[in-house]
Amino acid sequence: VIYNIVHFHYAGLGSMTSGDIEMMKDTYIKVDEAKVGEAKVEEAKIDDTDDGKADDDEAKAYEKKLSSSYRNEENVFRKMLDRSSSDAEVCSNLHPDHLGKPKEKDFDTGVPPLPENGVHEVLKKWLDGASMNRGDYPMCELPPSKSCDVSQYSLILMSHTVDDNKRLGKLKNGIKNFATRPGTAEIILVWNSERKVLTESTKKDAQMLVRWDSDESHPLRIFYALENGLENNLLNRYHPMIKPKQEAIMYFDDDGPFYDEGPMDAGFNLWKFNSDIQIGSLTRNIRYPSDRMNDDQNKATDLAAEHYRKDSWQTHVHPYDTEAVEKAMKENNESEPGYPRFTPLCRDETGDNVEYNYFVFPNYKAHMSLPSGSILHRNYLCFVWHPVFSEIRQFILDHPTHPDDMTISTLVSHLSGKPLRTFARHYGKEKKAKPTGNKRNY
């Protein structure tokens, strides 16, 4: 995924209630209760009358636990900032053959673009003054690299109208199918319009959805976005207020396509071994008119393939885990980490633009995934609605194409420091071997 497809710029905290914030703390921040309890006992032994000091020490211990993890929010943002600085250095040291004049984009959306390289400024500003800007928003944390013990997923769909009978029928049939699958723990329908649009509809498929929602034995529950203080927004399906019960979240558009159980089970198993990235099957990529960018991407792709072919340590150690990376480098007598690099877009220096390739669904060199058939860890919901990314959320609302899919894929890749991975959404039918020799008549 290239770094400058989407630019991030600082803006204020989005609307959330204190109850939502407390829920997010419970859902996305895991505390070792046993160790906290031990700390309380030890503190009590020192001075069982100083409750305030015990609370302060517990808070400090908790903050130390978060800061010591490579997955904690501050470390993740610093790694993104480091990558931005590294990309800027690459762009400023290009060979003269690659330099050129900036090109004007050949289309106008009517929406001003976000600042070029805005991600660097927003992250720097946030990290320099996080204590002032954070408010009550909970600390986010990257998911673990593997989640092999997860056996079920939350399925999330989103819709807002019953006007299209065909679309409504596909939604109903998709829910009916997934409700029978063993991996489906719950189905959440995010409803992006007024409740009465659905509940007062006379259409049988709409009435069926309402009936399933009221049936406690059925896995469907409907989340009415407007009643929870949200506006009609494609990003609502990634909102923490949905409160998915499972760590694994599987997404589909309301009109599908809904894939068979076999391919989706394969995708779910792939996610278990790669739970800190996005897994997708309906993928797109970005075309690079620049030979330099194509060369950089090919080198990164070849290096990644080589790592997986050799089962190199880079496939088991997260690039953000500095201590583990340094240990692996030492054990393997290597002077560089050797992870594939992201591809810098040096628009000001080279005049290059990028193009969205909507002609094919590539299995290789994919930069983004459409929602249908994609799988994501629940922890990313905290990041998607983090106050530091509020301007990009507003940009999605304002832009005529509302590019939530591209934004989610790009954001997750840069948060994790890794590209997405893909799986086949269909199983091919085995071809029967043609008979050999002369035919015999019986």
Side-chain angles (χ1 to χ4, degrees):
V1 176
I2 63 170
Y3 196 70
N4 293 317
I5 294 177
V6 180
H7 306 289
F8 305 101
H9 197 268
Y10 175 74
L13 176 67
S15 60
M16 280 197 169
T17 67
S18 58
D20 301 328
I21 291 170
E22 290 304 314
M23 175 279 299
M24 289 179 65
K25 289 178 179 177
D26 293 339
T27 305
Y28 301 104
I29 304 176
K30 295 182 174 62
V31 183
D32 191 331
E33 300 291 354
K35 290 184 179 179
V36 172
E38 291 170 5
K40 288 181 179 179
V41 172
E42 291 301 319
E43 180 61 31
K45 291 179 180 178
I46 297 172
D47 186 354
D48 58 1
T49 63
D50 193 353
D51 293 336
K53 185 176 184 299
D55 290 340
D56 290 342
D57 286 351
E58 181 181 337
K60 289 178 181 178
Y62 174 63
E63 290 178 3
K64 184 177 180 181
K65 170 184 171 64
L66 284 178
S67 63
S68 64
S69 170
Y70 75 86
R71 295 191 282 126
N72 89 73
E73 171 193 299
E74 181 178 347
N75 185 62
V76 172
F77 287 171
R78 292 197 182 280
K79 292 296 185 182
M80 291 176 68
L81 190 61
D82 290 345
R83 189 183 305 123
S84 174
S85 299
S86 176
D87 288 351
E89 185 176 355
V90 169
C91 292
S92 64
N93 290 287
L94 290 175
H95 190 277
D97 292 346
H98 295 305
L99 301 181
K101 295 181 179 180
K103 300 174 184 176
E104 292 294 328
K105 295 183 177 179
D106 59 358
F107 62 92
D108 182 10
T109 64
V111 179
L114 292 173
E116 199 79 25
N117 299 317
V119 65
H120 187 93
E121 296 304 319
V122 64
L123 291 178
K124 189 175 186 303
K125 186 180 292 188
W126 176 263
L127 292 170
D128 288 346
S131 59
M132 294 183 296
N133 301 326
R134 161 151 244 109
D136 293 327
Y137 198 85
M139 186 75 72
C140 302
E141 188 176 32
L142 281 183
S145 296
K146 291 179 174 61
S147 299
C148 298
D149 59 336
V150 175
S151 60
Q152 290 186 300
Y153 50 81
S154 295
L155 176 68
I156 295 182
L157 310 107
M158 185 171 65
S159 189
H160 72 286
T161 180
V162 296
D163 292 343
D164 188 331
N165 291 331
K166 186 176 181 180
R167 194 181 193 98
L168 182 62
K170 287 183 177 180
L171 173 62
K172 188 261 297 184
N173 290 334
I175 292 174
K176 182 179 180 180
N177 184 293
F178 268 90
T180 65
R181 300 186 184 185
T184 305
E186 64 173 341
I187 302 173
I188 305 171
L189 173 60
V190 178
W191 190 255
N192 263 356
S193 61
E194 294 183 357
R195 177 191 290 256
K196 64 181 182 181
V197 173
L198 180 62
T199 59
E200 296 181 9
S201 173
T202 58
K203 296 184 177 181
K204 291 184 178 180
D205 287 341
Q207 293 175 347
M208 182 65 74
L209 297 180
V210 175
R211 193 177 308 123
W212 284 339
D213 178 43
S214 62
D215 183 354
E216 294 184 359
S217 65
H218 197 280
L220 176 67
R221 64 179 174 93
I222 301 176
F223 175 84
Y224 293 98
L226 304 188
E227 295 180 7
N228 284 275
L230 305 178
E231 57 186 323
N232 186 356
N233 187 337
L234 288 172
L235 287 177
N236 286 347
R237 54 183 148 186
Y238 302 101
H239 204 293
M241 291 171 62
I242 296 172
K243 304 179 185 179
K245 297 177 182 178
Q246 302 299 312
E247 293 180 49
I249 303 175
M250 188 177 292
Y251 286 95
F252 278 93
D253 285 329
D254 58 345
D255 60 346
F258 296 98
Y259 304 128
D260 293 340
E261 187 172 355
M264 291 313 303
D265 284 348
F268 185 33
N269 285 326
L270 178 63
W271 175 88
K272 292 178 184 180
F273 286 92
N274 302 272
S275 57
D276 58 348
I277 63 175
Q278 185 184 37
I279 303 297
S281 59
L282 201 61
T283 52
R284 298 287 198 188
N285 67 10
I286 305 300
R287 291 184 296 192
Y288 301 152
S290 163
D291 291 338
R292 173 192 60 81
M293 293 180 67
N294 277 314
D295 289 343
D296 287 348
Q297 177 176 247
N298 289 335
K299 290 176 183 177
T301 303
D302 292 343
L303 179 58
E306 182 181 1
H307 283 331
Y308 279 104
R309 197 161 46 238
K310 294 181 177 180
D311 194 30
S312 302
W313 64 264
Q314 287 89 346
T315 64
H316 303 285
V317 177
H318 197 285
Y320 294 172
D321 191 349
T322 304
E323 183 177 340
V325 169
E326 290 177 349
K327 180 181 179 181
M329 288 171 57
K330 185 176 180 180
E331 290 175 349
N332 291 273
N333 195 27
E334 297 177 1
S335 59
E336 297 290 336
Y339 289 100
R341 290 180 57 89
F342 281 54
T343 305
L345 173 63
C346 308
R347 194 192 310 277
D348 290 341
E349 294 81 4
T350 65
D352 286 327
N353 287 326
V354 294
E355 301 171 352
Y356 178 50
N357 181 7
Y358 51 83
F359 297 104
V360 295
F361 296 105
N363 288 321
Y364 303 98
K365 296 183 181 178
H367 295 120
M368 56 163 287
S369 176
L370 300 181
S372 285
S374 65
I375 308 174
L376 200 63
H377 195 284
R378 181 178 61 189
N379 281 25
Y380 279 116
L381 305 190
C382 180
F383 281 105
V384 171
W385 283 86
H386 192 286
V388 79
F389 301 126
S390 59
E391 189 166 332
I392 192 62
R393 295 194 296 272
Q394 186 61 47
F395 181 81
I396 293 172
L397 278 176
D398 295 340
H399 198 280
T401 63
H402 308 300
D404 68 311
D405 45 14
M406 182 181 292
T407 302
I408 293 299
S409 293
T410 305
L411 180 57
V412 170
S413 287
H414 286 290
L415 287 167
S416 65
K418 302 178 181 181
L420 59 81
R421 298 200 65 180
T422 62
F423 65 96
R425 57 186 180 273
H426 297 297
Y427 285 165
K429 295 181 179 180
E430 184 178 357
K431 294 183 178 179
K432 295 182 179 180
K434 293 183 178 179
T436 58
N438 297 325
K439 284 187 176 181
R440 299 177 107 183
N441 296 319
Y442 293 95

